[in-house]
């Protein structure tokens, strides 16, 4: 039996609920942040940078680096490592400042 | 869940009417928790403020209750200590002596000026005649509001899941704001899958997730062994721990080692776990590049000379799907420097608060404990928190320190000596900048390259972080230089300067507008006066 973080601490979370990332369903465990749910699904990047357009995801994991910004339920600039995942949350890749629709 | 009342939406003016508590503790990590429960036990009325939803700070970070972990201690050393502190926190909260406010991010601490009488536009006197009352401004973060960067024109402060301002008044303040990770850049460190070593640890402890199945752990400092141990115990393959320093350097400082046998035992325990999981530990080596398209696929590892310069011809590649990297920790000092607290350079070169024998900062009425006074880990933090609380109690009562303080001071000094040894051993060698090519991004937020910074520091004549920042925007982005600051300082040829950030976290403009003297107060809500009863024995 392969070890997993959940087995290590004998976690028995309730049934996972569904959030979505760029249209694809992703399961989240009660109590997980959005970043944790995405990592668990093997997703490591969910924004692109303003100048280079390069992919980024969680880096510091504690709310300090702002690399994990995501658009959550239509609102950009949410730190995915701090925001708890809620059933039905719609996460989309954040491009640039998250306000590219306003760009002139 | 807390049942402690807060002061919802208390406008700054109204806050004057609320009796200040004796001590406000900022941060509920080891130092803050120890301080808060000690002070409450000594009869002080204490308010403990913390940005996180659960107590423990980064060190005692643990799975959210929803994950129902039966054995959270599997990811921790000394879990019993935390369990005891948490019980005392609960007991003091129940009696009302301690008010615990989780989800409250303190973004500013200010002395209340005596001339400030609501409407007065008179310039405040330079220094208050008597001890000031401190005002701690917080943004509450709850539920879906957590983690959001406030935007201009935010309309919904106070709405569901969003931030609202809360002000706490206190006679004394204890800053236990901890630290964040120290990062040194290298080519490819912005690739997805490259994560902070502390970040990987934090995500594992709280969310029970791993960044990848095959994770190289690299950088410098004792945290690397702890992270590698945790990752491999949780099922990841760790092909190597890559440590830039040389462990034998510890042996050159035998006194600090011999006085701290517990530390040796801890190191040995990590070593045994790593051995069991077949983890190689390479010392005097560094990951000098990460490679991949779209995400990390392998790393280049090179041997280092004494100055951390790569030894030519020593490069080899290790395939992996994640890299956890970090070079120790940096004290989090915004609130302290905002108050004008004096700093010093710690043994690892990072700025830390200058503290006296009783954990007092240079500003009267403000104490500090834990990593704010220099990186040392949980054990000195616990001793310092307790010592600071005793010092505060004695100061407020005008009595001398009890004999117990000497014991705490002794313990602190012994543990601090070890921390200094560690810091000196792992202090980055000057040669690490040789890892960078001109295209390496140093500032992750603003995507500023090493080439641009070198140009600013060379041709353009910038000699400090601030000038480089003005010329290149390095450190001007979302994280305010928390990730790139030390690296930029080094590239500019200077030493890392203490943080000077006006705000310690993103704050909606509406909160700032509500500050005294800066416009009308926030919409009034009746201040909550049903707070805990003041104890009689003071
Ligand atoms: S990962 Fe750094 S802020 Fe979220």
């Amino acid at each position: 039996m392969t070890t997993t973080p959940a087995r290590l601490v004998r976690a028995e979370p309730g049934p996972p609920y569904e959030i979505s990332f760029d249209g694809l369903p992703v399961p989240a465990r009660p109590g997980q942040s959005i970043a944790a749910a995405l990592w668990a699904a093997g997703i490591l990047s969910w924004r692109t940078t303003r100048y280079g357009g390069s992919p980024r995801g969680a880096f510091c994991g504690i709310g300090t680096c702002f690399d994990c910004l995501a658009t959550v339920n239509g609102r950009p600039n949410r730190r995915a490592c701090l925001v708890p995942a809620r059933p039905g949350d719609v996460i989309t890749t954040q491009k640039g400042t998250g306000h590219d629709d306003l760009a002139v | 869940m807390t049942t402690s009342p807060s002061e919802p939406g208390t406008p700054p003016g109204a806050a004057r009417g609320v009796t200040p508590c004796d001590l406000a503790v900022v941060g509920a990590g080891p130092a803050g928790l120890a301080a808060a429960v000690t002070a409450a036990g000594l009869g002080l009325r204490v308010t403990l403020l913390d940005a996180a939803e659960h107590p423990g700070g980064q060190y005692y970070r643990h799975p959210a209750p929803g994950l129902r972990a039966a054995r959270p201690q599997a990811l921790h050393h000394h879990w019993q200590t935390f369990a005891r502190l948490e019980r005392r926190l609960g007991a003091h909260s129940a009696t009302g002596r301690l008010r615990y406010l989780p989800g409250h991010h303190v973004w500013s601490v200010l002395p209340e000026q005596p001339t400030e009488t609501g409407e007065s536009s008179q310039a405040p006197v330079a220094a208050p005649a008597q001890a000031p009352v401190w005002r701690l401004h917080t943004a509450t973060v709850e539920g879906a509001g957590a983690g959001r960067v406030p935007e201009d024109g935010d309309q919904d402060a106070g709405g569901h899941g969003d931030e609202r301002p809360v002000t706490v008044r206190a006679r004394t303040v204890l800053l236990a704001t901890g630290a964040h990770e120290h990062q040194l850049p290298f080519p490819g460190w912005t690739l997805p899958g490259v994560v902070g070593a502390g970040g990987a640890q934090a995500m594992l402890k709280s969310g029970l997730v791993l960044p990848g199945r095959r994770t190289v752990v690299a950088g410098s400092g004792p945290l690397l062994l702890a992270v590698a141990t945790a990752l491999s115990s949780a099922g990841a393959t760790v092909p190597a721990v890559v440590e830039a320093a040389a462990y034998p350097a510890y042996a050159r400082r035998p006194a600090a080692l011999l006085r701290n046998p517990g530390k040796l035992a801890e190191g040995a325990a990590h070593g045994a776990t790593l051995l069991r999981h077949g983890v190689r530990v390479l010392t005097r080596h560094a990951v000098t590049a990460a490679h991949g398209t779209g995400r990390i696929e392998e790393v280049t590892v090179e041997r280092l000379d004494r100055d951390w310069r790569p030894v030519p011809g020593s490069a080899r590649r290790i395939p992996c799907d994640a890299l956890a990297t970090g070079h120790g920790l940096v004290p989090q000092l915004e609130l302290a420097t905002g108050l004008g607290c004096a700093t010093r350079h710690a043994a690892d070169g990072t700025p830390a608060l200058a503290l006296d024998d009783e954990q007092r900062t240079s500003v009267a009425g403000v104490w500090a404990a834990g990593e704010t006074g220099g990186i040392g880990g949980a054990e000195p933090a616990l001793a310092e928190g307790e010592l600071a609380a005793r010092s505060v109690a004695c100061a407020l009562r005008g009595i001398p320190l009890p004999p117990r303080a000497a014991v705490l001071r002794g313990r602190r000094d012994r543990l601090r000596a070890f921390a200094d040894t560690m810091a000196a051993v792992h202090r980055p060698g000057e040669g690490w900048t040789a890892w960078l090519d001109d295209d390496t991004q140093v500032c992750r937020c603003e995507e500023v390259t090493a080439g641009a910074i070198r140009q600013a520091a060379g041709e353009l004549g910038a000699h400090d972080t601030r000038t480089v920042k003005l010329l290149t925007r390095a450190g001007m982005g979302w994280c305010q230089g928390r990730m790139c600051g030390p690296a930029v300082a080094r590239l500019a040829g200077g030493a890392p300067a203490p943080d000077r950030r006006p705000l310690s976290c993103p704050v909606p403009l509406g909160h700032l507008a509500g500050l005294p003297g800066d416009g009308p107060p926030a919409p009034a809500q009746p201040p909550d006066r049903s707070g805990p009863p003041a104890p009689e024995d003071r």
Side-chain angles (χ1 to χ4, degrees):
Chain A
M1 191 164 79
T2 46
T3 318
T4 65
R7 285 203 190 106
L8 178 67
V9 298
R10 293 215 207 100
E12 284 178 14
Y17 40 72
E18 204 166 87
I19 63 174
S20 78
F21 173 68
D22 285 349
L24 297 172
V26 169
R29 298 282 179 182
Q32 277 181 332
S33 66
I34 287 171
L38 293 174
W39 272 25
I43 300 164
L44 288 174
S45 66
W46 47 84
R47 85 172 172 101
T48 55
T49 60
R50 282 170 292 167
Y51 306 114
S54 21
R56 297 278 178 86
F59 183 67
C60 75
I62 62 168
T64 306
C65 74
F66 294 74
D67 251 327
C68 66
L69 297 178
T71 299
V72 179
N73 301 324
R75 300 196 64 164
N77 291 321
R78 301 230 162 189
R79 277 176 281 176
C81 70
L82 298 184
V83 183
R86 297 260 169 90
D89 275 346
V90 176
I91 322 300
T92 47
T93 292
Q94 169 166 332
K95 297 203 174 81
T97 61
H99 293 291
D100 283 6
D101 47 327
L102 301 178
V104 279
Chain B
M1 280 303 293
T2 177
T3 51
S4 308
S6 69
E7 296 159 10
T10 313
R16 279 186 77 84
V18 180
T19 316
C21 63
D22 295 317
L23 170 66
V25 178
V26 185
L33 275 178
V37 299
T38 302
L42 292 170
L44 302 193
R45 288 165 309 131
V46 180
T47 304
L48 171 63
L49 303 112
D50 190 52
E53 286 301 318
H54 309 288
Q58 299 307 333
Y59 187 79
Y60 296 124
R61 208 180 225 269
H62 49 281
L67 286 162
R68 298 210 301 233
R71 281 188 68 239
Q73 64 271 34
L75 281 167
H76 288 86
H77 284 289
H78 314 302
W79 182 253
Q80 279 316 315
T81 308
F82 173 67
R84 262 198 307 274
L85 287 169
E86 204 184 19
R87 272 199 301 277
R88 288 168 69 191
L89 175 67
H92 286 306
S93 299
T95 63
R97 186 147 291 179
L98 195 157
R99 197 159 63 121
Y100 168 49
L101 302 180
H104 283 62
H105 198 136
V106 178
W107 52 268
S108 171
V109 181
L110 294 168
E112 205 162 74
Q113 301 294 347
T115 54
E116 192 186 284
T117 51
E119 309 293 38
S120 166
S121 60
Q122 296 262 298
V125 288
Q130 336 96 316
V133 166
W134 301 100
R135 205 153 55 191
L136 295 89
H137 297 282
T138 77
T140 56
V141 281
E142 48 197 343
R148 191 175 59 83
V149 181
E151 296 157 51
D152 297 3
D154 259 356
Q155 292 298 313
D156 53 358
H160 166 73
D162 278 306
E163 304 176 18
R164 63 201 160 81
V166 170
T167 303
V168 167
R169 295 172 81 241
R171 297 169 69 196
T172 59
V173 174
L174 195 157
L175 300 171
T177 46
H180 60 255
E181 206 161 21
H182 182 194
Q183 294 293 347
L184 296 180
F186 49 86
W189 78 307
T190 53
L191 276 175
V194 180
V195 301
Q201 173 101 317
M203 295 276 285
L204 171 58
K205 282 179 179 175
S206 63
L208 303 179
V209 289
L210 298 168
R213 303 303 307 170
R214 194 178 154 80
T215 304
V216 172
V217 177
S220 191
L223 182 66
L224 298 187
L225 294 181
V227 170
T229 305
L231 293 178
S232 47
S233 306
T237 300
V238 178
V241 174
V242 186
E243 161 64 60
Y247 287 137
Y250 279 102
R252 285 200 290 275
R253 297 159 181 263
L257 284 184
L258 293 174
R259 289 180 64 211
N260 291 274
K263 288 287 161 191
L264 286 179
E266 213 171 283
H270 284 314
T273 310
L274 295 179
L275 210 62
R276 201 166 60 242
H277 290 283
V279 177
R280 263 183 309 166
V281 180
L282 301 169
T283 56
R284 252 193 215 301
H285 279 72
V287 164
T288 51
H291 316 273
T293 40
R295 60 168 298 166
I296 187 171
E297 286 154 21
E298 52 182 359
V299 291
T300 293
V301 174
E302 292 185 88
R303 199 144 55 77
L304 301 180
D305 69 13
R306 293 188 148 275
D307 289 331
W308 290 31
R309 221 172 296 277
V311 174
S314 67
R316 67 180 126 143
R317 295 208 176 192
I318 300 180
C320 59
D321 60 4
L323 168 67
T325 185
H327 289 85
L329 303 171
V330 196
Q332 191 118 351
L333 301 180
E334 293 94 345
L335 294 176
T337 53
L339 280 165
C341 298
T343 59
R344 64 183 181 98
H345 274 105
D348 55 0
T350 58
L353 291 183
L355 302 174
D356 76 0
D357 231 22
E358 296 183 23
Q359 302 295 128
R360 283 183 288 228
T361 70
S362 63
V363 173
V366 181
W367 279 253
E371 317 257 55
T372 45
I375 302 308
E379 282 177 84
L382 291 166
E384 290 174 7
E386 185 178 341
L387 177 59
R390 290 180 185 277
S391 173
V392 168
C394 293
L396 287 173
R397 291 171 177 151
I399 56 172
L401 273 182
R404 163 88 181 149
V407 177
L408 291 167
R409 270 202 293 241
R411 190 187 307 160
R412 176 197 62 187
D413 292 348
R414 176 173 58 78
L415 292 161
R416 278 281 169 200
F418 182 78
D420 285 350
T421 297
M422 242 161 37
V425 167
H426 295 282
R427 181 183 182 134
E430 305 264 294
W432 71 264
T433 52
W435 309 347
L436 312 181
D437 56 35
D438 275 352
D439 293 334
T440 309
Q441 289 190 2
V442 174
C443 170
R444 299 173 68 93
C445 301
E446 294 292 319
E447 298 165 81
V448 182
T449 61
I453 295 168
R454 283 173 172 147
Q455 190 195 24
E459 284 162 51
L460 303 177
H463 294 300
D464 59 283
T465 321
R466 194 181 145 73
T467 317
V468 169
K469 173 168 150 177
L470 293 173
L471 291 170
T472 65
R473 294 192 61 80
M476 251 187 213
W478 284 300
C479 88
Q480 289 291 291
R482 286 178 176 90
M483 293 299 115
C484 68
V488 173
R490 174 72 191 96
L491 288 171
D499 299 325
R500 300 232 178 265
R501 300 182 186 97
L503 307 173
S504 73
C505 71
V507 173
L509 284 178
H511 293 16
L512 294 178
L515 283 177
D518 287 342
Q525 281 177 26
D528 187 342
R529 286 169 201 274
S530 62
E536 262 79 77
D537 60 342
R538 282 216 63 255

